Amino acid sequence: MLALFFIFADFCSMIYHLVVGDAAAKPLKEAVASEAAMEGEVVVLRDVLSVGPLQRPEGMRFSEMRGSFWQAMFSPDKPSQAPDDLERLLQVGNQLSQHPGHKIWLWMAPLPADVCAYYWASRLMTKYLDRFFVVSIYGLPFLDTEGKIFYPRSLADLSVRELVKARKLARTPVGTELENIAEEWPRLEAEQGGVRLLEGEKRLVSKP
């Protein structure tokens, strides 16, 4: 019986909800807590990957490079902590390796930072793309607090109730999306743009 329990535990579903920024994470955490079908852990990505370098110099860790960039931008004279998004995402990958029932949901608004996170995270999770789901709100109508239809620019614009409804949008990448996942991040690295702007749902353009 004990062995059966551990086998069952391995296949129990837990969702890791990836979201960019604390503002978007706040209502999402409330939505996850209120809806059993969304049960899991909210993992907040705090690095804004649409700004600054993406291609790390030889001998430097990605997180170290990103931390150095932000320190130079905002507080060159003060010690800063490197963003640990990569390390935490790799920990999520380890959990998926150990538990076949666990999944990742990446919540994506029509923002350059969100779309950059989509390509970055999905490329890191290549081994688990069959358990990698995207919840994209691009171009979709939702209800505001007064019950009127609007088109949100950020996940932070959505109420807890609307986020719970949005869970039904979760789907895995297929077809040309898989090809884009393999190609887009290396392209963005090679272009070495200072910023990345969004054109359409998932098309990023590098600019100086």
Side-chain angles (χ1 to χ4, degrees):
M1 290 295 292
L2 188 60
L4 287 174
F5 169 79
F6 284 114
I7 292 173
F8 175 76
D10 275 344
F11 282 90
C12 283
S13 178
M14 173 174 170
I15 302 170
Y16 290 96
H17 299 271
L18 304 184
V19 63
V20 177
D22 291 313
K26 186 177 183 296
L28 182 58
K29 288 178 180 178
E30 294 180 39
V32 169
S34 68
E35 174 56 52
M38 297 169 64
E39 183 177 357
E41 176 184 342
V42 176
V43 179
V44 185
L45 304 176
R46 295 190 169 87
D47 194 356
V48 181
L49 294 173
S50 56
V51 181
L54 299 178
Q55 194 170 56
R56 64 180 181 85
E58 186 175 350
M60 179 179 282
R61 294 181 298 109
F62 182 78
S63 297
E64 183 183 359
M65 174 196 70
R66 294 294 299 172
S68 296
F69 164 72
W70 287 117
Q71 182 172 4
M73 286 285 288
F74 293 109
S75 54
D77 301 324
K78 299 178 181 178
S80 65
Q81 185 175 357
D84 62 348
D85 292 353
L86 174 60
E87 288 73 20
R88 287 184 295 117
L89 195 55
L90 292 176
Q91 289 175 5
V92 171
N94 289 335
Q95 289 299 311
L96 265 64
S97 293
Q98 298 173 32
H99 304 284
H102 287 8
K103 302 171 184 175
I104 294 179
W105 286 17
L106 185 141
W107 292 74
M108 185 170 67
L111 295 170
D114 287 29
V115 179
C116 281
Y118 159 74
Y119 285 118
W120 176 71
S122 56
R123 185 166 169 79
L124 288 172
M125 296 291 110
T126 301
K127 290 171 56 179
Y128 313 106
L129 284 183
D130 59 331
R131 290 185 276 156
F132 184 91
F133 293 77
V134 180
V135 184
S136 174
I137 65 169
Y138 174 82
L140 296 177
F142 290 87
L143 297 179
D144 64 17
T145 54
E146 297 178 353
K148 297 178 181 178
I149 291 177
F150 80 115
Y151 293 83
R153 289 288 301 164
S154 167
L155 290 163
D157 297 336
L158 293 177
S159 67
V160 171
R161 180 179 178 180
E162 292 297 283
L163 283 168
V164 169
K165 288 165 57 178
R167 78 185 190 281
K168 297 178 182 179
L169 299 170
R171 63 185 183 85
T172 56
V174 294
T176 56
E177 291 175 293
L178 294 174
E179 296 175 11
N180 289 339
I181 284 172
E183 297 171 358
E184 279 298 284
W185 190 256
R187 175 182 70 81
L188 295 172
E189 285 183 320
E191 288 174 348
Q192 299 188 42
V195 296
R196 285 151 287 280
L197 306 180
L198 187 61
E199 293 185 354
E201 182 178 6
K202 293 176 184 168
R203 173 66 180 171
L204 291 164
V205 179
S206 299
K207 298 290 184 179

